[in-house]
Amino acid sequence: MAFFARAIRYSSPYLRSRAPPPPAVAASCRWISPTAAAGSPEAGAAVAPADPETPPPREPVGGARVELPSNPEDALEVFVDGHAVRIPKGFTVLQACEVAGVDIPRFCYHSRLSIAGNCRMCLVEVEKSPKPVASCAMPALPGMKIKTNTPVAKKAREGVMEFLLMNHPLDCPICDQGGECDLQDQSMAFGADRGRFTEMKRSVVDKNLGPLVKTVMTRCIQCTRCVRFASEVAGVQDLGMLGRGSGEEIGTYVEKLMTSELSGNVIDICPVGALTSKPFAFKARNWELKGTETIDVTDAVGSNIRVDSRGPEVMRIVPRLNEDINEEWISDKTRFCYDGLKRQRLNDPMIRGTDGRFKAVTWRDALAVVAEVLQQVKPEEITGVAGKLSDAESMMALKDFVNKMGSDKVLCEGNGPSPPADLRSNYLMNTSIAGLEKADVFLLVGTQPRVEAAMVNARIRKTVRATQAKVAYIGPPTDFNYDHEHLGTGPQTLVEIAEGRHPFCSTLQSAKNPVIIAGAGLFDREDQDALFSTIETVAKKFNVVRPDWNGLNVLLLHAAQAAALDLGLVANPTESIKSTKFLYLMGADDVDLDKVPDDAFVVYQGHHGDKAVYRANVILPSSAFSEKEGTYENTEGCTQWTIPAVPTVGDARDDWKILRALSEVAGAQLPYDSLSGVRDRISMVAPNLVHVDEREPCTISSEVKPPVKQQVSSTPFKTVVENFYMTDAITRASKIMAQCSATLLKK
Amino acid sequence: MAWRANLSRGVKEIRFLFCQSSPASAPAREFVKKNYGDIKARNPSLPVLIRECSGVEPQLWARYGTRSFFFSSLLHGIRDPLSRFLNFLFLYLLRREMLG
């Protein structure tokens, strides 16, 4: 590579600050010129108007979104292989080719990273240019004639391919990237049929990035995608380029682990097998895997994932594109907790015997015991608790069942003593995750988005990088991967802002689109009514909520939280558990079991043998999120469905089916027998939960609420997520997450 | 009206469903905006769940009684419908309590 001059890194401001365009692909203007006339602009212009037919439009590559600006002066026309396309100003040649339906090979270019231009694989021929141009770094000019399929372009790519393969090890049979390698695909399509290199190939020492990313740096082609991802998206300056010429290496400069919550994404963006998944090493080939598109449940973001399985085993989890929620990244917890789905699983119904040991029984016996106890307790002594990973169907069944038994005590973990469940705008991210990119000031109240919702944090960081948005934070001291201003640790700072006495008020006053994000950890405070009232006062004072912008947000913690609040699981946990005689825990593993009375009968229904099984009298096994169809609502109110990827373990059943069977045995039969029946019932209670992949806006604002008489306490906010890698039953069962906790958390 | 202060006797949960923008839901939206604060001030612990969803007919659900019954009514086309319905609900509950 010493013969190539490094192109100056060219960063288009349009690329960086561009918000996600609307999904509809605008119509483009195209026509075809005869091939013979393509070389002559005068002849092409003469022939084009005489063409009577307009050919059908070509599909952009990979569903590329393009939105033509309304001002015609902001659009321009270029010719790609003789086809005319209209693109916005600021587009590069590569983007124009994508809109025209031509796939340009590339290694270093990535649509969500800045432009490096150092792999030279995207060389195309431009008329009147003496040499091929790197299309990813060349802005498209009006009337430019681009040729992508000429002998010059092919020869250029073949030469680049030869240089790249010169020092590349011929170890495709043992590489984990086999079958999904960009280098393999492009050498097949653009490379030569034989090599001419007869000297010694170079070797590079492998780096240690931690327990998640495996490095074979000899395969590295120095495209710098991982360097740009780490510094731009993940926000850690861990990776860089060392040396020059033939001695170039990608590494961490000093011996250091990559400590980002998004470090696993470098596995996806690496075009060769230099960075692969360490837990997945040598486990499977991608053609052996069955991919199932489903939804992540390890946090409240609801990232779109694809679960790759082989038979009954989940082999890996990779991200799926969703522009509005997670773009094409997922957090490391989402990606690597899959081995928790195979360990500590409950597979048989169990009853605790008189000697205190669990005994496996049939479903009939287990349900009969539970129903018998239900008949002995009073209705108001029954309590149902839904866990962090519960889906809306099972929570609906639990609520209906407990209500039918005559009790109101149905609640969800993490929603606090008096959750603000009346108005949807009080517990959702009303700006939407994609809408955060339009904000210019962020006020984070009692929330640390880096560990609570890594994808929302990536979106905030993207906004800070693109528009220099200001971030202010009220809470305990913590790490951020962007510039922020730490205003204070407790609610007194918020009261000062509400009363206008804080210096930050001028920043909020001058902001065009301010955003306030309150953490769901505030739900657990006794003064949460007064606290949210103060936040609403701040929002009203600085015009955060108006018809065209709603910047008042709550960042939830768990996948089940939004749906639980929609359905109305709002009982007080302390009062409910203190007086209960029958406690039904549906995947609820973080309930304070010390407060459960000694004579209470505890039923645990879940998929993992986590904390709560040790107190249970009856254990009912259920399916994990990768084994069932379920409805989940994320923190912005978008409803999504999970799809089963692998069969259920042992004799476990879906959560709502267990409750349906139990209701029949207990004599309070629920009226639905199928998943569609449960969803019909949900449509009567919270109809937004059946509008899949949609967000329902909220028009009733907090102004209809009565004044709050409660006073704000002076207790400082506290950290909600102590260990990013261990937040629920699945991650606590994962050995990979245990390794991450051991090596990455200590600093 | 008498029903406002006595709602939490017997009623365990009230749920309003309506559309954000359709004309059929306009009376429900207006009712909620005018009366939610008063209802909540008199019944602080009663869940009054307001759920907006596009395309939904305006509905009011109430759950009450020891064995949990659900009662709902479509509310479009009637003058001051929610107020009349809640008054009816209150009288119905009083009658049930006297009988039970």
Side-chain angles (χ1 to χ4, degrees):
Chain A
M1 303 288 277
F3 307 105
F4 283 85
R6 291 293 164 188
I8 297 174
R9 177 189 279 201
Y10 174 85
S11 303
S12 168
Y14 185 90
L15 287 176
R16 278 186 163 161
S17 57
R18 181 178 63 164
V25 178
S28 302
C29 171
R30 304 186 181 94
W31 64 83
I32 296 178
S33 296
T35 306
S40 172
E42 296 83 9
V47 172
D51 195 342
E53 295 183 16
T54 302
R58 302 167 102 183
E59 285 298 320
V61 170
R65 293 178 170 183
V66 62
E67 177 192 2
L68 283 181
S70 53
N71 188 356
E73 290 188 0
D74 289 333
L76 51 86
E77 185 181 67
V78 297
F79 300 86
V80 179
D81 289 337
H83 306 269
V85 290
R86 290 185 70 79
I87 53 171
K89 268 185 185 177
F91 260 35
T92 62
V93 170
L94 192 145
Q95 286 174 304
C97 293
E98 281 190 342
V99 173
V102 180
D103 202 357
I104 301 289
R106 70 203 77 167
F107 289 120
C108 68
Y109 174 79
H110 194 282
S111 54
R112 297 180 202 280
L113 305 176
S114 59
I115 296 171
N118 56 317
C119 75
R120 318 311 284 178
M121 195 59 195
C122 57
L123 296 174
V124 295
E125 191 178 345
V126 172
E127 206 173 83
K128 297 194 176 73
S129 178
K131 289 187 281 188
V133 305
S135 59
C136 67
M138 169 70 68
L141 303 174
M144 188 183 251
K145 292 182 171 56
I146 302 158
K147 304 190 186 76
T148 66
N149 212 17
T150 61
V152 170
K154 287 177 176 173
K155 190 67 175 178
R157 290 179 195 148
E158 193 176 295
V160 173
M161 208 72 231
E162 188 173 4
F163 279 124
L164 288 177
L165 295 178
M166 214 166 70
N167 281 310
H168 200 78
L170 194 61
D171 60 352
C172 296
I174 62 164
C175 183
D176 270 322
Q177 196 92 341
E180 53 192 14
C181 179
D182 284 349
L183 192 71
Q184 271 180 340
D185 297 338
Q186 293 180 30
S187 68
M188 283 293 297
F190 304 105
D193 56 354
R194 70 203 66 202
R196 296 180 287 171
F197 190 68
T198 56
E199 299 177 25
M200 189 73 83
K201 287 178 183 278
R202 94 172 176 158
S203 302
V204 182
V205 176
D206 296 338
K207 313 303 189 281
N208 180 23
L209 296 188
L212 301 175
V213 182
K214 173 190 171 190
T215 63
V216 185
M217 299 314 281
T218 305
R219 301 172 184 152
C220 180
I221 59 168
Q222 291 87 43
C223 64
T224 67
R225 269 187 184 180
C226 55
V227 178
R228 284 176 280 142
F229 173 83
S231 60
E232 291 167 21
V233 180
V236 293
Q237 312 292 328
D238 288 340
L239 296 175
M241 181 78 82
L242 270 166
R244 56 193 289 259
S246 60
E248 285 181 11
E249 292 181 15
I250 299 278
T252 54
Y253 305 114
V254 297
E255 188 75 24
K256 186 170 182 284
L257 304 181
M258 194 176 182
T259 55
S260 169
E261 297 84 21
L262 309 176
S263 63
N265 292 292
V266 296
I267 297 162
D268 291 341
I269 62 175
C270 184
V272 295
L275 303 172
T276 51
S277 169
K278 192 173 275 187
F280 184 66
F282 308 132
K283 293 289 198 334
R285 294 298 195 183
N286 75 327
W287 56 85
E288 303 168 353
L289 303 173
K290 182 195 78 172
T292 305
E293 302 189 340
T294 183
I295 300 299
D296 170 52
V297 299
T298 56
D299 53 25
V301 177
S303 304
N304 285 219
I305 58 173
R306 190 187 82 226
V307 172
D308 283 347
S309 59
R310 181 172 63 185
E313 193 181 1
V314 174
M315 302 303 294
R316 68 176 179 180
I317 293 175
V318 292
R320 175 163 62 98
L321 176 68
N322 188 309
E323 292 280 356
D324 298 325
I325 295 179
N326 56 298
E327 295 185 300
E328 52 186 275
W329 323 117
I330 48 173
S331 74
D332 288 353
K333 178 168 57 172
T334 302
R335 187 186 291 266
F336 291 112
C337 70
Y338 59 86
D339 71 328
L341 294 166
K342 310 178 225 180
R343 309 171 78 244
Q344 298 273 102
R345 292 299 300 265
L346 301 170
N347 53 2
D348 277 322
M350 290 181 169
I351 293 177
R352 192 187 291 268
T354 51
D355 56 351
R357 301 170 65 89
F358 281 107
K359 181 181 54 177
V361 296
T362 64
W363 275 104
R364 176 189 295 269
D365 294 341
L367 295 179
V369 166
V370 176
E372 183 185 337
V373 176
L374 272 170
Q375 298 302 323
Q376 295 168 11
V377 301
K378 297 195 192 75
E380 57 271 12
E381 292 170 341
I382 300 171
T383 299
V385 185
K388 299 169 168 175
L389 313 176
S390 304
D391 53 287
E393 285 86 0
S394 48
M395 289 192 286
M396 184 80 257
L398 179 68
K399 178 170 157 56
D400 277 351
F401 176 60
V402 175
N403 289 161
K404 257 181 178 267
M405 297 301 294
S407 173
D408 297 327
K409 301 194 179 93
V410 198
L411 58 114
C412 182
E413 279 183 323
N415 279 341
S418 59
D422 284 2
L423 306 171
R424 288 186 86 233
S425 54
N426 284 2
Y427 56 85
L428 292 180
M429 177 161 280
N430 299 296
T431 312
S432 83
I433 296 172
L436 294 177
E437 297 189 21
K438 302 192 187 76
D440 45 6
V441 167
F442 291 89
L443 176 60
L444 310 178
V445 182
T447 179
Q448 295 129 44
R450 186 171 178 176
V451 288
E452 293 178 18
M455 300 320 307
V456 173
N457 187 66
R459 201 69 81 135
I460 296 172
R461 176 179 160 75
K462 183 181 176 183
T463 310
V464 171
R465 273 181 51 88
T467 64
Q468 284 77 50
K470 292 180 170 53
V471 179
Y473 169 64
I474 304 175
T478 187
D479 274 344
F480 280 84
N481 51 1
Y482 37 82
D483 287 339
H484 75 290
E485 190 179 346
H486 193 196
L487 303 185
T489 58
Q492 299 310 309
T493 309
L494 194 65
V495 171
E496 283 179 28
I497 297 176
E499 293 168 354
R501 294 188 277 109
H502 200 278
F504 190 68
C505 293
S506 59
T507 306
L508 277 173
Q509 196 71 257
S510 58
K512 190 153 57 81
N513 287 330
V515 156
I516 300 174
I517 302 180
L522 307 183
F523 290 167
D524 284 326
R525 290 173 65 102
E526 291 297 329
D527 62 341
Q528 68 101 9
D529 282 326
L531 205 48
F532 277 97
S533 177
T534 309
I535 292 170
E536 283 146 21
T537 304
V538 174
K540 189 171 185 175
K541 188 186 182 68
F542 300 104
N543 211 21
V544 176
V545 182
R546 31 175 219 270
D548 60 321
W549 176 259
N550 189 339
L552 188 53
N553 302 286
V554 177
L555 183 60
L556 299 174
L557 288 165
H558 313 309
Q561 226 169 344
L565 291 163
D566 267 358
L567 295 170
L569 275 68
V570 294
N572 188 309
T574 306
E575 295 170 12
S576 302
I577 291 171
K578 181 170 54 182
S579 60
T580 188
K581 291 291 196 294
F582 181 93
L583 182 61
Y584 199 97
L585 302 172
M586 190 176 69
D589 287 293
D590 293 294
V591 174
D592 194 351
L593 295 171
D594 297 333
K595 296 191 175 120
V596 177
D598 289 338
D599 57 346
F601 191 88
V602 179
V603 178
Y604 180 81
Q605 173 185 312
H607 38 75
H608 275 82
D610 210 45
K611 302 171 183 173
V613 297
Y614 300 102
R615 177 62 181 85
N617 300 95
V618 173
I619 294 174
L620 306 174
S622 69
S623 312
F625 77 96
S626 54
E627 301 154 8
K628 66 180 174 180
E629 299 182 64
T631 301
Y632 288 89
E633 191 182 16
N634 74 345
T635 186
E636 60 175 9
C638 181
T639 302
Q640 303 181 107
W641 279 350
T642 58
I643 309 290
V646 288
T648 297
V649 171
D651 213 5
R653 307 296 162 95
D654 283 5
D655 282 300
W656 71 268
K657 292 177 182 175
I658 299 171
L659 282 152
R660 165 66 179 85
L662 177 59
S663 71
E664 187 169 338
V665 180
Q669 182 167 328
L670 297 176
Y672 26 81
D673 286 330
S674 63
L675 189 65
S676 55
V678 187
R679 286 174 177 166
D680 283 346
R681 169 64 183 151
I682 290 176
S683 71
M684 292 181 229
V685 175
N688 52 284
L689 285 173
V690 298
H691 284 208
V692 187
D693 292 330
E694 287 179 27
R695 291 183 65 245
E696 293 290 339
C698 317
T699 57
I700 308 293
S701 68
S702 311
E703 296 189 354
V704 303
K705 292 166 73 175
V708 175
K709 305 183 183 70
Q710 203 186 30
Q711 290 301 313
V712 173
S713 159
S714 60
T715 309
F717 300 130
K718 59 181 196 292
T719 302
V720 178
V721 177
E722 295 283 353
N723 186 344
F724 168 71
Y725 298 103
M726 295 235 170
T727 51
D728 51 63
I730 298 178
T731 47
R732 283 191 287 260
S734 169
K735 201 191 322 183
I736 306 170
M737 295 290 106
Q739 289 170 3
C740 292
S741 304
T743 59
L744 298 178
L745 280 191
K746 61 187 177 187
K747 297 198 173 166
Chain B
M1 290 189 174
W3 57 266
R4 292 180 188 227
N6 296 280
L7 257 185
S8 45
R9 290 175 55 198
V11 180
K12 302 296 171 55
E13 181 183 318
I14 289 182
R15 190 177 290 264
F16 293 90
L17 310 179
F18 48 81
C19 182
Q20 298 100 331
S21 54
S22 78
S25 297
R29 292 197 298 267
E30 285 306 309
F31 181 88
V32 165
K33 283 174 182 168
K34 285 181 196 155
N35 296 279
Y36 172 82
D38 191 41
I39 294 172
K40 202 62 186 179
R42 296 167 189 268
N43 308 274
S45 60
L46 174 70
V48 184
L49 309 172
I50 295 157
R51 300 289 176 256
E52 303 165 84
C53 187
S54 54
V56 160
E57 297 273 7
Q59 298 170 53
L60 170 64
W61 292 81
R63 180 170 62 82
Y64 54 89
T66 54
R67 301 299 289 186
S68 299
F69 295 93
F70 301 95
F71 193 95
S72 84
S73 174
L74 295 178
L75 302 166
H76 51 87
I78 305 175
R79 180 178 178 83
D80 199 7
L82 290 166
S83 197
R84 290 162 53 108
F85 171 75
L86 284 168
N87 197 19
F88 165 80
L89 175 65
F90 172 68
L91 295 176
Y92 177 79
L93 289 171
L94 277 186
R95 191 178 310 114
R96 282 192 90 256
E97 284 181 9
M98 288 158 65
L99 292 177

